[in-house]
Amino acid sequence: MDASERIFKYHGLGNDFVVLDRRRTGVDIDAEQSRWLCDRRRGIGADGVLAILPSSRGLARMVVHNADGSIAEMCGNGLRCAVKYLVDQSGQHPALIDVETGAGVLTCEPGYGDGGVVGVDISMGPARLVAANLPSGTTGQPFVNAPVPGHEGLLGTAVNMGNPHLVLLDQPLEAAERLGPALERHPAFPDRTNVEFVRVDEDGLTVVVWERGCGLTQACGTGACASAVAAVLAKRLPSNAWLRVTLPGGDLRIRVPGDLSDIRLRGPVAFVFEGVVALPRAR
């Protein structure tokens, strides 16, 4: 018999997640359970599942399960949802909280309003241009504004925000659905990659993201960060300024320091509902 479990639904700019609090047992879910929860016809429906686990390094550890059952190292919109859940459940109003993620321990600053936490400012840590899960990982040289092998005319920048990204500046936004699936699985990215299609505006960016393991989503926090990093590296936008990044679900604000040492992300978050589900047993 399947086990009943309380679930919580949140979203950040329409990027939606099911939150499962597993701090008492310390047991994560498996890929099949993640796929079932994210199924919009047979389950709850979400872009991903956030498993909240115990941590000795922060208030909790967040594990991000994609809709296809794979695990993402990091998710900016998901982290805002996890922060709102943790703060709202605590009944307190901390100025800062630390959450352990696959990209390290990240410091988050909740913003309060009616209904508790309404937004979160996150210290996302450094943007890396050389990493094992980027094309540069094999050569030691950054993949910046470089030709994408096998895709004539495409220039991309590879950025690690804890998870891998391929940022394509000045590409038609509508090309995301057509090119995203193949680029996600480009052989130069050993762990697959998120792909950003970016239009550079005078005062910011407009971005559509093909997310690894999810496809097109309403918003992607790490994708917004990676896009801003690529625009700053190309000297299309200034460093050390709060840049607007518009995604299908709305706007985020990103600040990129000149040395890429600590990317900041600021954006809204909302609670949707809570309930009880008969979660299939882990295999």
Side-chain angles (χ1 to χ4, degrees):
M1 183 176 180
D2 295 341
S4 295
E5 184 158 353
R6 184 163 293 279
I7 59 98
F8 301 82
K9 183 79 177 286
Y10 290 83
H11 80 88
L13 294 180
N15 194 193
D16 58 340
F17 301 90
V18 172
V19 176
L20 292 177
D21 194 335
R22 292 292 185 89
R23 285 178 291 176
R24 185 178 61 83
T25 65
V27 178
D28 200 355
I29 63 172
D30 65 14
E32 182 179 348
Q33 290 172 320
S34 176
R35 288 191 290 267
W36 181 84
L37 284 164
C38 292
D39 192 312
R40 297 188 185 276
R41 294 185 182 275
R42 296 177 173 85
I44 301 303
D47 291 323
V49 179
L50 308 177
I52 308 299
L53 299 171
S55 172
S56 61
R57 304 170 62 198
L59 182 60
R61 178 165 68 97
M62 178 188 75
V63 178
V64 182
H65 297 262
N66 290 322
D68 69 351
S70 61
I71 293 179
E73 302 90 340
M74 175 52 189
C75 176
N77 289 323
L79 182 53
R80 296 203 311 280
C81 292
V83 167
K84 179 170 173 60
Y85 170 80
L86 289 166
V87 173
D88 288 353
Q89 291 294 310
S90 75
Q92 300 176 351
H93 292 78
L96 298 172
I97 67 169
D98 290 336
V99 179
E100 183 182 353
T101 75
V105 177
L106 301 180
T107 299
C108 308
E109 180 180 351
Y112 297 97
D114 292 340
V117 176
V118 296
V120 184
D121 188 323
I122 303 172
S123 172
M124 297 284 288
R128 295 182 173 90
L129 305 180
V130 176
N133 58 7
L134 300 182
S136 55
T138 58
T139 66
Q141 297 297 317
F143 188 88
V144 176
N145 198 34
V148 179
H151 293 268
E152 186 176 354
L154 279 188
L155 297 177
T157 295
V159 180
N160 180 297
M161 287 301 311
N163 55 355
H165 294 267
L166 175 63
V167 182
L168 307 172
L169 298 179
D170 301 316
Q171 287 299 312
L173 305 182
E174 59 272 16
E177 188 169 11
R178 175 172 56 88
L179 297 178
L183 291 171
E184 175 192 349
R185 299 178 180 276
H186 196 287
F189 291 85
D191 299 327
R192 297 187 292 161
T193 188
N194 301 279
V195 189
E196 284 74 42
F197 296 78
V198 183
R199 186 182 74 215
V200 182
D201 306 320
E202 287 186 5
D203 62 338
L205 303 173
T206 302
V207 180
V208 173
V209 183
W210 180 272
E211 284 203 52
R212 178 185 57 167
C214 297
L216 293 175
T217 57
Q218 288 291 294
C220 176
T222 55
C225 292
S227 299
V229 167
V232 168
L233 288 173
K235 301 189 184 305
R236 303 286 296 278
L237 291 174
S239 60
N240 296 303
W242 283 103
L243 304 175
R244 171 191 56 78
V245 179
T246 298
L247 299 132
D251 291 356
L252 294 172
R253 297 288 172 175
I254 310 296
R255 188 175 68 190
V256 179
D259 62 1
L260 309 185
S261 60
D262 184 18
I263 312 302
R264 303 285 301 201
L265 178 152
R266 180 182 294 163
V269 63
F271 169 72
V272 183
F273 67 82
E274 66 177 282
V276 176
V277 299
L279 185 65
R281 291 190 182 277
R283 291 184 179 273

